[in-house]
């Protein structure tokens, strides 16, 4: 009996080595080949049209600005360099004769977003044998919020989505090819995988199981030679040859912005392998860790919210189908390959991705990397729906497999998806990055230096100075670049010529610096007399004790200007003069993002926070200067200006809460802090001006003080903040007074 079983297994193995095209598929196609092609053309045109009318007209915020400033001069982006996307963006900027550089690059994403939808459609049509379900599923994922959003802005994710779907399509072609065509299909698959890796490293998690399957079939089943396998590998290496863009950029071009020195193999490999981040799957530099369980649960929650639970349900039905179907066929092997790709992604990425409990922008970072497994999930769900309709047509009613009924359902589903997400993804009027740059750059002194940190100010200001020539004399100096060992040799002599770079920047106290290093104080010492220097980010606290002895920061719109303390004879007058030259009415006219549309995971939301923070900081500074110079002639000006600035921020947040655009919890720290300061401003002005103003005006100031003191006291008590217990006790005694007409709340109180 045992011998017989061994013979049967051997026969089965021999049969499995036959050309997959000889195996009988389970279902007949619902539509003809011509109808399938018509569906592909329709989906491509629809996708291009919808994406085109909703795409960003200018710069999207985030990494887009970096990709564009590197691409315009054929530079290199942050690790791993993204050479394929950079090269394509370079060509788009040079060859497309109209539109902003940002618009031209976003046009690439529109194209690849549409191609992604068509590829998903073909995978489901070929594997599930139902092109109507294919077009419905492709429309469902292509017009979902997340995939739509990344298909209309100049970023690498639209191209990565296309490649991941196309790798799955190539897997089907490989499984279905005949023995005679196997080497050709293997080469094309290897080339596709190499190209994909030239864009985004996470695609390797789909490639690994596919490559193992190719190797097994080529070498074990089809008994091809090692030479054939080596030839296939060369096609993969050829696809990755785009990484030569990095040394070509280094030796043949002089980009104004580039990320690294690629004059040696070691620096090239360090950048390509993202060693500064720890690995290709570390989303942020540092020692923070995520866990497999937390990341997988996050994906299940996010994908269910984004795409509904239906792909999961249909996918489970598909899993049931292949586990209960004992026959070995093309359908089953293809689905197993897709499942292996998904399993590999979850096993590796969910274990290594180092963002734990993401909130705000970090949540937005993580959700980008959920798109790749979502592609697999939706494709498997679409195939599962094909099998479910076949099953129900046999068990319930044959009309369920009628292609016209299915087509009507597909049109309905796609229409609902477009309507549901259109408003949220319509960025055709999103000029917020431009307005942000316009609010600051034109007003800076000639040849100013702007120190930046973080993607928001760095990429927005660099893009507009370099790509759109908005104040090209202003140099935007990323403090992250300053800390790089290669910066002084690569960019300092060209892009930042005329700015003295004393060595390698380190955010340390002067006493901790080694030879060849400098801190912010050293940079200011070397350049403050040559350039007006601004900072548009926060400075690390471990440097404050050094530079703050000699320099002060004065608010300048949403940034700050460094000035020598020795140059400020009368700080109150100095502040008032600078604020007068940057009136807050300019900020009022600056269109701000609508919080109802942009959640805290978006850069638009971050921009709104930066704006309100600038108001809070400026108002607080007015108060601090009023306290420090309470006998100055400018005291009333400082108080009135501070109250006005705080009122702007407080009113905006209150209006947003009243209109249901955000909960108080989302902005509570900023809101209640500004409320307390607002109460102080009102009551000091009340004490100072009560003999000069009408009774009506005095009561307005008293009501203002009462309102915001009460808000601040209630919040402090809810938070059980014992640090401000004495202040709260004092304010409560004031609030208990029936009238504050005789209250003397002076600036020193």
């Amino acid at each position: 009996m045992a011998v017989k079983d061994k013979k049967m297994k051997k026969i089965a193995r021999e049969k499995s080595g036959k050309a997959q095209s000889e195996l009988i598929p389970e279902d007949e196609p619902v539509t003809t080949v011509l109808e399938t092609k018509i569906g592909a053309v329709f989906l491509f045109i629809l996708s291009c049209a919808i994406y085109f009318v909703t795409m960003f007209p200018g710069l999207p915020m985030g990494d887009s600005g970096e990709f564009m400033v590197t691409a315009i001069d054929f530079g290199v982006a942050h690790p791993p360099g993204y050479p394929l996307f950079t090269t394509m963006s370079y060509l788009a900027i040079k060859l497309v004769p109209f539109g902003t550089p940002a618009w031209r690059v976003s046009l690439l994403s529109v194209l690849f977003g549409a191609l992604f939808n068509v590829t998903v459609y073909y995978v489901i049509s070929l594997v599930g044998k139902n092109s109507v379900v294919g077009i419905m599923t492709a429309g469902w994922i292509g017009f979902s919020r997340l995939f739509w959003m990344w298909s209309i802005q100049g970023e690498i994710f639209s191209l990565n989505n296309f490649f991941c779907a196309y790798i799955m399509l190539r897997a089907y072609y490989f499984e279905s090819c005949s023995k005679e065509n196997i080497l050709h299909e293997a080469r094309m698959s290897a080339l596709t995988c190499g190209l994909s890796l030239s864009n985004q490293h996470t695609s390797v998690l789909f490639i690994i199981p596919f490559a193992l399957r190719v190797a097994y079939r080529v070498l074990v089943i089809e008994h091809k030679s090692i030479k054939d396998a080596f030839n296939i590998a060369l096609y993969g290496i050829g696809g990755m040859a785009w990484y030569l863009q990095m040394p070509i950029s280094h030796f043949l071009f002089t980009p104004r912005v580039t990320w690294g020195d690629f004059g040696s193999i070691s620096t090239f490999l360090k950048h390509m392998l993202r060693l500064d981040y720890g690995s290709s799957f570390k989303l942020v530099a540092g020692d923070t860790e995520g866990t497999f369980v937390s990341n997988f649960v996050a994906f299940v929650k996010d994908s269910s919210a984004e795409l509904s639970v239906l792909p999961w349900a249909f996918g489970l039905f598909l899993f049931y189908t292949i586990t209960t179907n004992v026959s070995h066929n093309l359908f089953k092997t293809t689905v197993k390959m897709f499942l292996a790709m998904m399993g590999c992604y979850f096993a590796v990425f969910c274990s290594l991705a180092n963002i734990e409990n993401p909130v705000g922008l970090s949540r937005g970072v993580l959700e980008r990397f959920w798109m790749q497994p979502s592609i697999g999930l939706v494709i498997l769900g679409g195939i599962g729906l094909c099998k479910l309709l076949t099953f129900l047509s046999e068990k319930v009613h044959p009309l369920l497999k009628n292609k016209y009924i299915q087509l009507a359902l597909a049109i309905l589903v796609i229409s609902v998806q477009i309507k549901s997400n259109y408003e949220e993804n319509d960025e055709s009027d999103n000029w917020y990055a431009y307005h942000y740059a316009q609010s600051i750059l034109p007003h800076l002194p000639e040849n100013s230096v702007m120190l930046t940190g973080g993607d928001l100010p760095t990429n927005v200001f660099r893009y507009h100075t370099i790509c759109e020539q908005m104040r090209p004399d202003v140099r935007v100096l990323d403090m992250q670049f300053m800390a790089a060992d290669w910066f002084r040799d690569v960019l300092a002599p060209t892009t930042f010529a005329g700015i003295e770079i004393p060595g390698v920047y380190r955010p340390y106290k002067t006493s901790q610096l080694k030879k060849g290093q400098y801190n912010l104080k050293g940079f200011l010492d070397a350049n403050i007399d040559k350039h007006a220097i601004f900072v548009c980010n926060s400075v690390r606290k471990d440097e404050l004790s050094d530079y703050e002895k000699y320099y002060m920061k004065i608010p300048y719109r949403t940034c700050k200007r460094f000035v020598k303390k020795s140059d400020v004879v009368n700080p109150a007058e100095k502040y008032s003069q600078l604020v007068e030259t940057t009136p807050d009415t300019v900020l009022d006219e600056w269109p701000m993002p609508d919080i109802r549309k942009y959640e805290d995971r978006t850069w638009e939301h971050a921009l709104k926070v930066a704006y309100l923070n600038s108001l809070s900081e400026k108002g607080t500074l007015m108060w601090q200067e009023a306290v420090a110079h309470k006998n100055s002639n400018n005291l009333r000006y400082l108080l009135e200006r501070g109250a006005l600035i705080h009122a702007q921020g407080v009113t905006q947040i209150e209006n947003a809460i009243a209109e249901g655009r955000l909960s108080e919890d989302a902005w509570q720290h900023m809101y209640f802090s500004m409320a307390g300061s607002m109460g102080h401003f009102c009551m000091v002005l009340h004490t100072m001006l009560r003999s000069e103003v009408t009774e009506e005006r005095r009561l307005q100031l008293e009501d203002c003080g009462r309102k915001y003191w009460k808000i601040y006291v209630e919040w402090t008590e809810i938070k059980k903040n014992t640090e401000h217990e004495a202040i709260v006790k004092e304010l409560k005694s004031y609030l208990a007074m029936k009238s504050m007409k005789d209250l003397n709340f002076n600036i020193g109180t």
Side-chain angles (χ1 to χ4, degrees), residues 553-615:
K553 293 182 296 183
I554 299 177
Y556 197 95
R557 292 176 165 81
T558 53
C559 298
K560 300 178 184 70
R561 180 175 181 174
F562 285 109
V563 295
K564 288 182 179 180
K565 285 188 174 180
S566 59
D567 291 344
V568 181
V569 179
N570 186 333
E573 293 180 1
K574 186 74 173 179
Y575 276 97
S576 65
Q577 291 170 7
L578 281 170
V579 174
E580 282 294 345
T581 61
T582 59
D584 291 290
T585 52
V586 174
L587 292 177
D588 288 341
E589 296 168 2
W590 173 20
M592 295 303 299
D594 188 344
I595 303 175
R596 288 174 296 184
K597 179 174 181 178
Y598 299 106
E599 300 180 13
D600 61 355
R601 59 188 166 190
T602 65
W603 286 105
E604 286 78 7
H605 188 280
L607 178 60
K608 181 80 170 184
V609 172
Y611 167 73
L612 292 175
N613 270 328
S614 71
L615 294 181

Side-chain angles (χ1 to χ4, degrees), residues 148-168:
W148 189 340
M149 177 175 69
W150 292 107
S151 295
I152 58 175
Q153 57 182 294
E155 260 272 19
I156 56 100
F157 294 102
S158 179
L159 181 57
N160 185 62
N161 292 341
F162 163 71
F163 272 125
C164 289
Y166 192 61
I167 288 171
M168 299 180 79

